Amino acid sequence: MAVTLVETALVFIFGLAWGSFANVVIDRYPKGESVVLPRSRCPQCRNPIAWYDNIPVISWLVLRARCRKCGGRISWRYPLVELLTGFLFAAVFHCVTLFAPSYVFLRWS
């Protein structure tokens, strides 16, 4: 079964979203904070981040690694974790679809 670029891109985007959630867990879990509430917020001013400023990687680039409200720096760790997770999801998806036995093989075994 051939893997299309569109399928891989969708899995990559899904991985970016999981990477964004991973950042929340990485930041809050060691502090004993909830990973669900409150919404994402600036590490410096603690103001909530609007949904359009919370798009994995893209928002970090558009805002030039700064908070829209206070101008505080946002660490490079955030897009790095998102990108690594996105690439990992895409790589696993690609390998599984390339090397997994086909349904025809399963039917005849």
Side-chain angles (χ1 to χ4, degrees):
M1 175 182 223
V3 180
T4 68
L5 183 60
V6 172
E7 291 169 328
T8 305
L10 288 173
V11 171
F12 175 75
I13 292 167
F14 185 70
L16 289 176
W18 271 100
S20 182
F21 178 69
N23 275 318
V24 172
V25 174
I26 290 166
D27 185 53
R28 296 184 187 181
Y29 186 75
K31 299 174 188 173
E33 298 176 355
S34 169
V35 297
V36 180
L37 294 171
R39 292 182 11 222
S40 295
R41 56 190 185 256
C42 170
Q44 277 78 35
C45 68
R46 312 300 277 176
N47 280 313
I49 296 174
W51 69 267
Y52 49 84
D53 286 337
N54 205 16
I55 300 168
V57 181
I58 294 171
S59 294
W60 189 83
L61 292 171
V62 168
L63 294 171
R64 292 186 229 136
R66 299 205 173 270
C67 171
R68 183 180 299 273
K69 294 182 181 175
C70 73
R73 302 273 306 149
I74 297 176
S75 173
W76 53 268
R77 183 198 78 205
Y78 293 96
L80 180 66
V81 169
E82 293 165 355
L83 285 170
L84 287 174
T85 308
F87 282 122
L88 181 65
F89 269 55
V92 168
F93 171 75
H94 193 72
C95 289
V96 165
T97 54
L98 284 179
F99 300 115
S102 68
Y103 292 112
V104 174
F105 172 79
L106 293 173
R107 182 176 167 212
W108 293 105
S109 58

